[in-house]
């Protein structure tokens, strides 16, 4: 049962999330399938400068985000979805790696809250505190082993991976079905087979004859074989 319908994102760069109003996710919002709130962390600051960071205890380069504005912001967005478990996703290069399996698991939550840090990240007591709250589930997530400037782009990636799986978001659900077969087939995760469309010949390159044959059995066999070859030859 797919359950997600509310996403809240907390960031010091709300404009970074503007692409959520486009394409598939924009349409899903317009259709009322999901709703998304973007929140400026600085709205939670008390000082005139709107400070959200400070020097790290123990020393070291860079700045760390202070826990107080995060606590206020997370408490405020949690109130938007009362009597539910809030899945608090803290983006960090040290988190659990995003996979299709994790994206599928996240579709099961009614309320996802994304905490997008900047600088060297957020004081770990924010994760530690909400981990002790029975109405929260905290997950630290990475989208891969490289270092981004902050959590915003990682949030866009995770939200897109989740939202396209929700019922009614993709016009042709058969494509999701086929995808789940390739990603979880017997011989392990396969990468996709190569795609072709018109014209039949382009810059001296032809479409393989089997794809023009109309023989669906042979086409399925060829595609599986191609997917296996590509999976084996992939550099990582
Ligand atoms: C959230 C801030 C930037 C964080 C410290 C990290 C090892 C120490 C810069 N998959 C992925 N990649 N990057 C992120 C991500 C980066 C973030 C934040 C997510 C918040 N940043 C940042 C930490 C460091 N450095 C590498 C040595 C540097 C998610």
């Amino acid at each position: 049962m797919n359950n997600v319908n509310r996403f809240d994102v907390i960031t010091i760069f709300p404009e970074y999330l503007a692409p959520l109003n486009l394409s598939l996710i924009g349409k899903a919002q317009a259709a009322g399938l999901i709703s998304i709130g973007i929140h400026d962390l600085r709205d939670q600051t008390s000082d005139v400068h709107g400070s959200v960071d400070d020097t790290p205890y123990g020393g070291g380069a860079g700045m760390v985000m202070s826990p107080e504005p995060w606590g206020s912001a997370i408490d405020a967005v949690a109130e938007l979805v009362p009597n539910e478990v809030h899945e608090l996703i803290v983006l960090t290069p040290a988190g659990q790696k995003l996979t299709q399996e994790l994206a599928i698991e996240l579709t099961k939550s009614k309320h996802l809250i994304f905490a997008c840090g900047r600088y060297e990240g957020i004081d770990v007591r924010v994760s530690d505190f909400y981990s002790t709250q029975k109405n929260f589930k905290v997950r630290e997530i990475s989208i891969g082993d490289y270092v981004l400037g902050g959590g915003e782009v990682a949030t866009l990636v995770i939200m897109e991976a989740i939202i396209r799986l929700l019922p009614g978001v993709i016009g042709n659900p058969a494509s999701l079905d086929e995808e789940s077969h390739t990603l979880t087939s017997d011989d392990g995760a396969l990468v996709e087979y190569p795609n072709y469309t018109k014209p039949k010949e382009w810059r001296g390159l032809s479409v393989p004859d089997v794809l023009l044959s109309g023989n669906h059995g042979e086409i399925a066999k060829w595609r599986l074989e191609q997917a296996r070859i590509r999976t084996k030859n992939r550099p990582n």
Side-chain angles (χ1 to χ4, degrees):
M1 175 61 181
N2 280 310
N3 243 343
V4 178
N5 58 18
R6 176 77 194 186
F7 299 80
D8 286 286
V9 183
I10 307 166
T11 170
I12 59 169
F13 293 119
E15 304 94 327
Y16 236 115
L17 285 303
L20 294 173
N21 294 319
L22 305 174
S23 184
L24 170 130
I25 301 175
K27 287 184 187 128
Q29 287 189 84
L33 297 169
I34 55 168
S35 79
I36 300 177
I38 308 296
H39 310 272
D40 190 339
L41 182 72
R42 291 195 203 277
D43 294 350
Q44 306 298 328
T45 56
S46 39
D47 66 314
V48 286
H49 306 290
S51 309
V52 293
D53 63 323
D54 211 328
T55 54
Y57 278 124
M63 300 293 271
V64 174
M65 297 191 97
S66 312
E68 298 98 328
W70 281 105
S72 306
I74 293 164
D75 290 349
V77 301
E79 284 180 25
L80 300 174
V81 185
N83 311 313
E84 273 293 342
V85 171
H86 314 287
E87 194 101 35
L88 176 61
I89 298 181
V90 180
L91 294 314
T92 160
Q96 178 185 2
K97 206 91 61 72
L98 179 68
T99 59
Q100 189 65 16
E101 185 185 27
L102 178 55
I104 290 167
E105 191 172 334
L106 292 171
T107 64
K108 291 164 183 147
S109 309
K110 175 103 178 151
H111 189 204
L112 296 174
I113 302 172
F114 292 85
C116 303
R118 282 268 145 187
Y119 313 106
E120 303 291 301
I122 305 170
D123 186 314
V124 75
R125 289 173 295 179
V126 173
S127 288
D128 291 347
F129 173 79
Y130 288 100
S131 296
T132 69
Q133 304 299 294
K134 66 183 190 320
N135 56 333
F136 279 84
K137 169 139 183 150
V138 177
R139 298 185 190 258
E140 296 192 333
I141 299 181
S142 159
I143 61 162
D145 290 339
Y146 38 79
V147 182
L148 300 169
E152 289 79 8
V153 169
T155 292
L156 291 172
V157 169
I158 297 168
M159 286 182 67
E160 186 158 302
I162 295 169
I163 292 166
R164 65 187 290 284
L165 296 174
L166 301 178
V169 171
I170 286 192
N172 175 11
S175 54
L176 284 182
D177 219 61
E178 191 183 331
E179 182 177 284
S180 89
H181 286 300
T182 40
L183 285 166
T184 62
S185 86
D186 291 342
D187 33 5
L190 286 177
V191 302
E192 67 196 340
Y193 56 75
N195 289 312
Y196 295 86
T197 185
K198 289 179 278 259
K200 270 182 200 162
E201 189 166 322
W202 179 75
R203 298 192 179 183
L205 300 173
S206 299
V207 174
D209 285 335
V210 63
L211 297 180
L212 310 173
S213 69
N215 184 333
H216 300 296
E218 283 302 311
I219 291 170
K221 223 169 75 185
W222 181 85
R223 284 177 167 169
L224 181 58
E225 175 182 277
Q226 292 298 311
R228 285 180 174 142
I229 292 167
R230 291 176 132 203
T231 304
K232 179 165 60 67
N233 292 339
R234 197 157 66 148
N236 59 36

